[in-house]
Amino acid sequence: MKCCSLLIPLLVCCYMSFAQADTVLNRYRRYLLAQPATDISPIVSNYDSIRQWPDINYADRDLAGWNVADHLRRVRNLSIAWSDPRSSWYQDGACRRIIDNALHHWLEKRYQSPNWWHNKIGVPQLMRDIIVMLRGSLDRDELSQALAVMAQNDEASWRRSTGANLVWCADLTFHYGAFTGDTALMRSCVEMIWKEVKITTKEGVQPDYSFHQHKERLQMYHYGRAFLQDNVRLAWETQGTPWAFPQEKIAILSSFILEGWQWMARGIYTVPGTVDRSVSRPNALKGADIRPLIPYLCELDPANKAAYLAIEARQNGAGEPLTGFRHYPRSDFTVYHHPQFSFFLKTLSNRTLPAESINSENLKGHLMHSGDGYFILNGNEYTNLMPAWDWEHLPGTTEGAFTRSAFTGGVTDGRSGFAVMDFGEGKKLWACYDNMMICLIAGRSGITTLDQCRLQGDVLTDTRWVYHNKLAYIPLETSVINVQVVEQEGSWQSINAAGSPEIVREKVFKPSLRNASGYVVAYCDNVRQVRRLAEKKRWKVLRNTPECQALQLEDGTVMAAFYKAGSVAGISVEKPCLVMMKDGVKHVVDPTQNEEGPPTK
C-alpha cells in the first residue's frame, strides 16, 4: 500500500512533464502556422511523384548558400501548407505524396554540406519544423530517421558555442528532448539558453545593447536577429511550464530591443554596418523588421506593450518617429534620428574588427566600417543596391589607407552630438544637429564620396550646393562638387559566390569632393531652404587640424575633438578627449575608454 502511495504521485509528475513538453511543441506548431505563408504552387505543380527537384543542384558545395538545403526547405514549406487549415493545400493528397517522397529521399541520402553550420544547425532546424508539423502522421520508422537528422546537432559539438550559435543549438536540442520525452535534456538546454541571455563584453548583448558575434563585430540584424527571434519565441513557448524564462531574462531582451534594436534602423531599414558580411545577401537591409514578434513581446512583457506597439507603428510607416543621437561605444556605431531622416555612421577602432568576408560572402566589403555614413529617408536609398555599388567609394568615405586607433568615439546630450575617428594620418568628425550632419576632415586628402544612393527624382545643382531627394550637399569651403548620375551594374554573385549571376542595373546618385576640408548634408523641404542655408550658415568652424577639430552651432553649442591637450572657445583640456558644451553643461568623453579621470578644467 505504501508503494502505491509513492508511485501515484510519481506517475502524475511524469504525466505532467510529458503534457508540458507537448504544450511546448503545440505552441511551436502554432508559431510556425502564424508566420507569413509561402507560396508552394511552383514546387507542387507537375511534381506528383517527385523525389528530387530538377532545379536543385544536389552536387552543390557552396559554403554559404548550399543549394541542396532548398530540398528540405521545400519539404518544410509543403508540410506547413498541408497542415494549415487556411491553406488551399490543407490535407491535400497530392501535396502529401510530394512531402513523403521528398522526405524519404532526404532520409535516404542524408546530404552533407562542406560547411558545418548547415549540417549541425540549418538542416536540423528544417527537420524540426517538418516533425512538428507532421508528428502524429509519421510512422515510427519515419519519425526515428527524422529525429536522427535532428541529432546531427550533437551536444558535444556545440556546448562551447556562444551567442546566436549557442541559442540555435540549444534550442534544437531542447525540442529534440520534447520529441523524445527527455525532460532532463530540455531542462539542461533551457538553462544554457538562460545563461546566454545576459549582458556581456564577449559575444552577445553588449553593455550598450549592441550585439557582437564572431568576436568584436557588430552583428545586430544578422546573428543578433537570430538571437532575438529565437529567444522571444522560446520564452513564449515555455510560458507556464517548468522551462519558463526568468523575468530578468525577458527584461534583458526588452532592453536589447528598446535601447539597441529600434535605434539602429529607420523603421525596418538599416545600413551595412549593422549586418556585417550579410550585406551581400538580398534584403539584408530590411533585417530590422520586428513586426512578426510584436504579439509575442506584448504577451511576454505587457509593461512595455505601448513601446512595442510604437515600434510596430513606425515599421508600418506611421506613428511618431524616433528622435535623438546615440553612440554605441562597444561597436563604434553612431545614429542620429531626425523626424525627416536618419543618419548612420560606422567607424572602426582598435577595439573593434573590420567587416568579415568568409564563406565567399562580402567579397568587396574591405572598406566597410571606415567611416561610411548613410542617410535614410524612405528606405529605398540603399536597399538591394549592393550588386551595383562602387565598393571603392562607399558613402561618406575618404580615399586613403588608415590605421585602427583607440581614439574613436562619440559624445551626446541625447538630442544632438558628434562622433570622431582617428585614421592615423587624418581625422574626421561628424556632428549632428537639428536638420544637419556636418563633417570635418583634417590631414586627409583624396576623394570624399558624399553619398552613393539610388537615384530618386531630379538632381539640382548650384556652384555652392547639390540637392537630391530632399537632401542638400554643401561643401564647407568653396569647392566644386563632382556629381555623377550614372547607371551602374553588377550581380549578387560578384559580392557573394552563392548569389545570382543575373546582372542588376541601377541609376545611382554619387556626389563627391576632392581634397575637401568638410561638408554639410542637410534636410531641406525645397530649394529655397537650400539657398538660405548656403547663404546664411548655421555653423562656424572654430578649428580643423589634426590636433583639434571644433565647431560652433547657431545656439552656441560647441563640439570639439581634442587629439592632444589644448584649448578652444574657452574650453581647455589636459589630455585628448571629446567635449560638447551646450547651455552651460559640459559633456566630456574619453574615446579611448581608459577611464583615467576628467581630462578638462
Side-chain angles (χ1 to χ4, degrees):
M1 198 68 174
K2 187 175 181 180
C3 289
C4 288
S5 64
L6 293 173
L7 183 59
I8 291 173
L10 182 61
L11 290 172
V12 170
C13 183
C14 290
Y15 173 79
M16 289 180 64
S17 295
F18 286 128
Q20 288 167 329
D22 200 55
T23 294
V24 166
L25 294 174
N26 285 333
R27 284 179 180 164
Y28 185 55
R29 187 176 189 276
R30 284 168 52 198
Y31 177 87
L32 292 176
L33 290 172
Q35 303 310 299
T38 302
D39 180 15
I40 65 166
S41 300
I43 59 174
V44 172
S45 301
N46 304 318
Y47 293 132
D48 190 57
S49 59
I50 194 72
R51 286 177 60 81
Q52 291 178 278
W53 278 276
D55 61 324
I56 292 179
N57 175 14
Y58 289 86
D60 182 36
R61 303 292 290 170
D62 187 85
L63 292 171
W66 196 50
N67 190 236
V68 190
D70 285 344
H71 178 102
L72 209 57
R73 189 170 292 108
R74 291 178 181 184
V75 178
R76 172 197 184 271
N77 293 339
L78 288 165
S79 299
I80 293 174
W82 184 82
S83 304
D84 188 351
R86 300 165 300 175
S87 169
S88 60
W89 300 100
Y90 179 60
Q91 302 291 298
D92 180 82
C95 180
R96 183 55 193 253
R97 283 192 296 274
I98 298 171
I99 292 170
D100 291 339
N101 290 333
L103 177 59
H104 291 161
H105 177 76
W106 190 280
L107 296 177
E108 177 186 330
K109 297 295 185 180
R110 294 284 291 271
Y111 293 101
Q112 295 290 298
S113 168
N115 182 345
W116 72 271
W117 187 91
H118 292 288
N119 302 326
K120 302 290 186 180
I121 298 176
V123 165
Q125 284 179 333
L126 293 170
M127 191 60 77
R128 171 194 59 192
D129 294 359
I130 293 166
I131 298 171
V132 164
M133 301 315 299
L134 300 183
R135 71 190 187 109
S137 66
L138 294 172
D139 64 37
R140 182 176 297 181
D141 185 57
E142 288 173 325
L143 179 59
S144 176
Q145 290 186 61
L147 287 171
V149 173
M150 267 194 77
Q152 290 175 188
N153 178 251
D154 56 295
E155 269 191 271
S157 68
W158 60 260
R159 279 194 171 269
R160 293 182 182 178
S161 298
T162 59
N165 282 325
L166 183 140
V167 173
W168 273 325
C169 294
D171 176 31
L172 277 166
T173 309
F174 174 79
H175 286 89
Y176 181 88
F179 285 131
T180 59
D182 190 342
T183 55
L185 180 61
M186 294 175 70
R187 183 72 188 183
S188 171
C189 289
V190 80
E191 287 180 353
M192 290 194 71
I193 293 169
W194 296 342
K195 289 177 182 178
E196 202 63 19
V197 180
K198 62 185 176 182
I199 305 300
T200 179
T201 55
K202 296 182 180 179
E203 294 191 357
V205 180
Q206 300 298 297
D208 59 7
Y209 294 105
S210 57
F211 189 92
H212 286 186
Q213 192 89 41
H214 289 194
K215 299 183 179 178
E216 295 81 15
R217 290 186 171 91
L218 177 59
Q219 302 268 15
M220 197 69 175
Y221 306 117
H222 182 193
Y223 288 97
R225 179 181 176 85
F227 179 89
L228 178 64
Q229 286 180 327
D230 285 358
N231 275 302
V232 169
R233 187 251 306 151
L234 275 166
W236 176 79
E237 276 185 60
T238 57
Q239 289 181 100
T241 74
W243 313 287
F245 274 46
Q247 194 57 44
E248 63 267 24
K249 301 301 181 181
I250 294 173
I252 290 172
L253 296 173
S254 174
S255 295
F256 177 56
I257 295 166
L258 301 178
E259 303 301 326
W261 185 281
Q262 67 168 333
W263 281 88
M264 292 191 183
R266 186 171 184 88
I268 67 171
Y269 298 101
T270 188
V271 297
T274 65
V275 295
D276 205 79
R277 78 175 192 272
S278 69
V279 69
S280 60
R281 302 175 186 177
N283 296 317
L285 297 190
K286 295 181 181 179
D289 190 350
I290 199 176
R291 288 172 293 183
L293 289 182
I294 296 298
Y296 306 100
L297 288 165
C298 291
E299 186 174 333
L300 286 167
D301 184 24
N304 285 307
K305 181 176 180 179
Y308 299 135
L309 293 178
I311 294 173
E312 183 179 47
R314 282 192 291 273
Q315 295 201 335
N316 284 329
E320 290 295 320
L322 283 177
T323 58
F325 183 102
R326 292 207 177 187
H327 178 73
Y328 292 85
R330 291 290 306 168
S331 297
D332 294 328
F333 187 80
T334 302
V335 57
Y336 178 61
H337 286 298
H338 180 271
Q340 304 298 337
F341 72 95
S342 296
F343 172 66
F344 303 91
L345 173 71
K346 184 67 179 76
T347 51
L348 196 63
S349 69
N350 60 9
R351 300 175 297 273
T352 54
L353 294 174
E356 66 181 349
S357 177
I358 61 173
N359 299 335
S360 298
E361 293 188 288
N362 194 27
L363 297 174
K364 297 182 180 180
H366 63 103
L367 292 181
M368 285 173 59
H369 307 354
S370 58
D372 42 330
Y374 305 85
F375 293 87
I376 294 181
L377 285 74
N378 56 38
N380 197 41
E381 291 82 3
Y382 312 104
T383 302
N384 291 334
L385 186 63
M386 281 62 242
W389 242 1
D390 172 1
W391 285 84
E392 296 304 308
H393 295 93
L394 297 184
T397 59
T398 301
E399 285 182 321
F402 66 90
T403 56
R404 289 158 58 207
S405 161
F407 202 92
T408 294
V411 61
T412 180
D413 66 349
R415 294 173 60 85
S416 55
F418 71 98
V420 302
M421 182 173 175
D422 183 346
F423 293 80
E425 67 178 54
K427 316 290 190 289
K428 291 181 80 170
L429 177 151
W430 297 264
C432 297
Y433 169 82
D434 193 28
N435 66 326
M436 303 180 295
M437 188 286 293
I438 306 166
C439 177
L440 303 184
I441 306 170
R444 193 170 179 84
S445 59
I447 295 173
T448 295
T449 304
L450 308 188
D451 209 339
Q452 187 185 174
C453 61
R454 185 175 279 108
L455 182 67
Q456 298 187 74
D458 296 333
V459 176
L460 305 178
T461 62
D462 184 87
T463 56
R464 297 165 296 173
W465 48 260
V466 172
Y467 185 55
H468 168 253
N469 191 32
K470 299 291 186 179
L471 292 179
Y473 301 80
I474 306 171
L476 287 182
E477 298 176 345
T478 302
S479 182
V480 176
I481 302 180
N482 177 37
V483 179
Q484 291 181 283
V485 178
V486 294
E487 185 173 83
Q488 296 179 180
E489 64 178 41
S491 68
W492 286 104
Q493 192 175 75
S494 71
I495 57 176
N496 184 334
S500 168
E502 182 178 348
I503 296 298
V504 175
R505 293 180 176 85
E506 295 278 3
K507 287 188 176 180
V508 175
F509 167 68
K510 187 166 62 173
S512 63
L513 291 168
R514 182 177 289 277
N515 302 332
S517 64
Y519 61 96
V520 175
V521 181
Y523 178 88
C524 296
D525 281 317
N526 50 58
V527 174
R528 186 175 66 252
Q529 291 182 5
V530 179
R531 293 194 182 106
R532 186 183 306 131
L533 183 62
E535 291 168 0
K536 188 178 181 181
K537 297 177 175 61
R538 299 167 58 202
W539 65 88
K540 179 181 180 182
V541 177
L542 303 175
R543 197 167 299 171
N544 191 14
T545 69
E547 290 75 38
C548 177
Q549 293 179 293
L551 56 85
Q552 187 172 38
L553 300 161
E554 63 180 349
D555 66 353
T557 298
V558 175
M559 300 181 181
F562 294 92
Y563 300 95
K564 60 188 298 186
S567 63
V568 69
I571 301 171
S572 296
V573 302
E574 299 172 344
K575 57 185 179 181
C577 63
L578 309 179
V579 181
M580 177 176 171
M581 178 74 82
K582 183 175 182 180
D583 298 330
V585 179
K586 188 184 295 182
H587 305 271
V588 184
V589 168
D590 178 359
T592 66
Q593 302 182 27
N594 62 22
E595 300 179 353
E596 290 181 355
T600 67
K601 60 182 180 180

